[in-house]
Amino acid sequence: MQATNLETYISFKSNIADGVYKIYGTNLEPNTEHALTNFPSLPVIGDYLCSVNRTELINSLENAETFTNNSTTMSPLYHILLDLKTTQSNIVASNDNVLKIMSIPIYKLKENNQLLISPKIISYLKGLDSESIQIHINKEQMQIMFSTDNVKIMTKMKDYRYPNYNDIIPSQFKYQIQFNQSELNKILSDLKPYIKQADSDALNITINTDTFNINFSIINVLEKNYTLAIETLDVSKLDLSVISPRDTIKKPTSGVLIMPFESIDLPNNMFRIKHSYLLNSINSFDSEILYLCLQKNYKNNTIYINKIPLI
């Protein structure tokens, strides 16, 4: 549509349940149906916060949506976190058991901020007409605006406290493994028909010097065993971090964290993990070579996966 005087005529689309508003100019002729007085008052545009590439933002949000908890809209884990910082900005999503962290370039960031948004806004962002999106916030009215020159999309700022995801990332790992994503994907896809027949989709995985042994069984029905070639890397080389001057602990800054997994009465080189967690995690990367780190202790059992070499 061609934009005209927004002070006189507007077209207003809303979904109140989702807190999403889309406002743009229209070339409608004056009449009582479309007169400005028949529409809700326009939200107040907040202060400029930052700019972001449209394609990178949408791709990251779509990736993150896979890992949100969609069982209830009243939980912070239903939403996606935009953790905006001058050092490194992340998009974060979690469903209690799997945590996905993705770094994203942010431009001209005015101040550090954390924004919680509904995954449902993704479809609205796809309608923006520019590769550069500006983000504004209005803290008084609890609103976030994504805008280009011609389109403005308003959404409610969620007043939930998102868990501190940095606290659960281990600073070191016992095992560090490199593997081929498509080869593991083939094994997990082959297991799908058998998983549907079982009460549990737990896989038993044993880490050897140069192989991943994957076992799945249904008692008294079937047992499937697979071997995946791996390369065990030097654990001491783990370093993915952007370290602040006050921080001496090196931690990963992006990737997938899977926790917890069952480890009771299992050897140190063996762990149990849900088939769906592992499959969704490796499919969220666009790299053929992935890296898996394993941490097992009595306080924190964690699997970490990323596409960046841990060196």
Side-chain angles (χ1 to χ4, degrees), residues 216-240:
F216 174 75
S217 62
I218 304 176
I219 298 175
N220 299 326
V221 178
L222 67 84
E223 183 168 358
K224 303 287 289 185
N225 290 284
Y226 300 87
T227 300
L228 174 71
I230 63 171
E231 180 182 348
T232 304
L233 305 178
D234 185 354
V235 180
S236 64
K237 293 183 178 179
L238 175 63
D239 182 6
L240 275 180

Side-chain angles (χ1 to χ4, degrees), residues 18-143:
D18 298 334
V20 177
Y21 309 88
K22 185 174 183 179
I23 305 167
Y24 48 83
T26 176
N27 58 1
L28 296 171
E29 294 296 325
N31 56 56
T32 56
E33 181 181 359
H34 296 98
L36 180 63
T37 55
N38 290 341
F39 290 96
S41 59
L42 290 173
V44 177
I45 296 175
D47 297 328
Y48 169 84
L49 180 61
C50 65
S51 299
V52 63
N53 179 273
R54 170 185 172 275
T55 301
E56 290 180 344
L57 177 62
I58 291 174
N59 289 345
S60 297
L61 291 176
E62 287 184 324
N63 195 318
E65 185 180 9
T66 307
F67 298 90
T68 56
N69 183 352
N70 56 14
S71 61
T72 173
T73 60
M74 301 304 292
S75 166
L77 297 185
Y78 167 80
H79 301 86
I80 299 172
L81 173 67
L82 274 63
D83 189 7
L84 307 176
K85 295 180 180 178
T86 54
T87 51
Q88 176 172 315
S89 295
N90 292 326
I91 290 180
V92 183
S94 176
N95 61 9
D96 287 330
N97 295 297
V98 183
L99 171 71
K100 182 65 185 281
I101 308 169
M102 293 167 287
S103 59
I104 183 171
I106 297 293
Y107 307 100
K108 299 179 181 179
L109 180 63
K110 185 177 179 181
E111 61 182 9
N112 292 352
N113 217 310
Q114 287 193 336
L115 308 177
L116 270 183
I117 62 172
S118 166
K120 294 183 179 180
I121 199 175
I122 298 173
S123 60
Y124 292 87
L125 294 177
K126 289 181 178 179
L128 293 177
D129 54 356
S130 172
E131 276 302 294
S132 179
I133 297 177
Q134 291 189 354
I135 301 177
H136 297 249
I137 58 171
N138 186 324
K139 294 182 180 179
E140 290 184 1
Q141 296 189 11
M142 296 295 292
Q143 291 173 335

Side-chain angles (χ1 to χ4, degrees), residues 174-175 177 205-209 211-213 266-271 294 296:
K174 183 174 180 61
Y175 292 95
I177 298 148
I205 298 180
T206 304
I207 303 172
N208 298 315
T209 304
T211 60
F212 230 30
N213 292 338
L266 295 179
N268 284 335
N269 67 329
M270 186 176 179
F271 62 93
L294 172 65
K296 291 183 66 171

Side-chain angles (χ1 to χ4, degrees), residues 88 90 99 101 165-166 168-173 238-243 249-257 293 302 304-306 308 310:
Q88 176 172 315
N90 292 326
L99 171 71
I101 308 169
Y165 62 94
N166 287 301
I168 66 173
I169 302 176
S171 57
Q172 52 186 306
F173 295 86
L238 175 63
D239 182 6
L240 275 180
S241 305
V242 177
I243 308 301
I249 300 177
K250 298 181 178 180
K251 292 184 178 182
T253 56
S254 62
V256 174
L257 221 62
C293 296
T302 308
Y304 167 79
I305 300 175
N306 204 346
I308 307 172
L310 306 184

